[in-house]
Amino acid sequence: MGNAGESPTQRSSVVADQPLDIKEQILCAAEQIIQDLGLGGATTRAIAQTARCAEGSIYRYFPDKHALLIEVMRRRYPRFIELVGSLPDRAGRGTIRRNLEEVAASALAFYRAILPTIAAPLVERKLLLELRASFVRTQTGPLKAFNSLTSYLEKEQRLGRVSSRPSAGHLAKLLLGACFAQAYVEHILGDEARSGDDQHFARETVRSLMEGMTPKRTLASAGSPAKPNGKTKAVVTA
């Protein structure tokens, strides 16, 4: 498969010159076209022409173009997808902060990479409905990441390593939503919108999420039961 820095001509030579099996040729062709033209330009006819196979061959391996797109995403960005899948099993291991920083950095890179790909379905309703149906059929899509992170945080809450006060689902949306928003403004504005490097963004986002906006003194006095002597009991949060 072609690297990010290769030209379209170089990438097309990967498909044309290497003795790949048909499925691999189709995946390479789809990746090339999506990267160059976006999802709207990745018609099955264009993919078949680039892969040098019959258009019907695509449907031997994929029920539709969107299933093909999802497979391309799996291949190009395995780190985020594998990380999301393993999150619930990480509960109780490592530190909360480090685990969430890894999620944030990986999510930012993933969202930054797929934004050009998902642009067409966001403005073309037919493509959007097809993509939604494909997500349901293949049990993939954005909700899988949110649900996995929510499950992880719920387990950490049960272990007492995360406060039970906030909603785990909303914590997941705040973290992943911040990553998507950062990728979005970078896509619109370019490097001007970057907030340091990815590790810095991840650290500050997780720190801000964990510390919250409520002053610690206010949080302790409002959320702690009073002792018999009238003093409040300190609240310890992960």
Side-chain angles (χ1 to χ4, degrees):
M1 183 178 302
N3 296 322
E6 291 178 335
S7 68
T9 302
Q10 289 173 313
R11 284 195 300 273
S12 64
S13 68
V14 173
V15 176
D17 297 341
Q18 293 183 2
L20 306 176
D21 62 36
I22 298 298
K23 183 178 181 180
E24 184 72 11
Q25 287 178 219
I26 292 169
L27 285 165
C28 288
E31 179 180 0
Q32 172 191 325
I33 294 172
I34 290 169
Q35 184 168 328
D36 294 343
L37 304 176
L39 182 61
T43 64
T44 53
R45 181 178 181 181
I47 293 170
Q49 287 178 340
T50 304
R52 298 188 176 184
C53 69
E55 190 171 352
S57 298
I58 295 174
Y59 298 102
R60 291 173 53 196
Y61 303 100
F62 308 98
D64 56 38
K65 182 176 66 178
H66 298 287
L68 175 55
L69 166 66
I70 291 167
E71 183 63 22
V72 170
M73 293 298 104
R74 288 179 186 275
R75 288 160 53 94
R76 290 191 65 185
Y77 313 108
R79 183 171 180 272
F80 177 70
I81 294 169
E82 290 170 4
L83 173 60
V84 164
S86 69
L87 269 178
D89 294 332
R90 292 189 175 203
R93 297 163 44 197
T95 67
I96 307 295
R97 190 178 298 269
R98 288 288 180 85
N99 287 340
L100 294 184
E101 285 176 359
E102 185 178 355
V103 170
S106 183
L108 176 58
F110 177 75
Y111 292 142
R112 185 186 290 136
I114 69 168
L115 263 173
T117 300
I118 64 174
L122 292 180
V123 297
E124 295 184 30
R125 182 163 179 77
K126 182 175 183 293
L127 286 176
L128 179 61
L129 294 177
E130 290 174 356
L131 187 58
R132 286 178 182 173
S134 185
F135 284 152
V136 172
R137 184 176 59 254
T138 58
Q139 297 184 331
T140 56
L143 285 180
K144 188 169 185 178
F146 285 103
N147 292 340
S148 184
L149 180 53
T150 298
S151 176
Y152 165 73
L153 291 169
E154 286 174 340
K155 287 186 175 184
E156 294 289 21
Q157 285 177 325
R158 289 193 291 271
L159 292 172
R161 301 212 309 163
V162 169
S163 169
S164 61
R165 287 190 301 273
S167 156
H170 283 80
L171 290 174
K173 289 175 182 177
L174 286 169
L175 181 59
L176 294 178
C179 297
F180 185 85
Q182 178 63 28
Y184 172 79
V185 296
E186 287 179 12
H187 185 65
I188 298 297
L189 301 177
D191 289 342
E192 176 187 352
R194 283 186 179 264
S195 179
D197 61 27
D198 288 3
Q199 295 303 320
H200 172 77
F201 172 84
R203 283 194 306 270
E204 289 304 302
T205 301
V206 171
R207 181 186 65 78
S208 299
L209 180 64
M210 294 184 71
E211 293 182 6
M213 295 189 297
T214 305
K216 291 183 179 180
R217 184 177 302 174
T218 304
L219 182 63
S221 61
S224 303
K227 288 186 175 181
N229 61 7
K231 295 181 179 179
T232 57
K233 183 178 180 181
V235 176
V236 179
T237 58

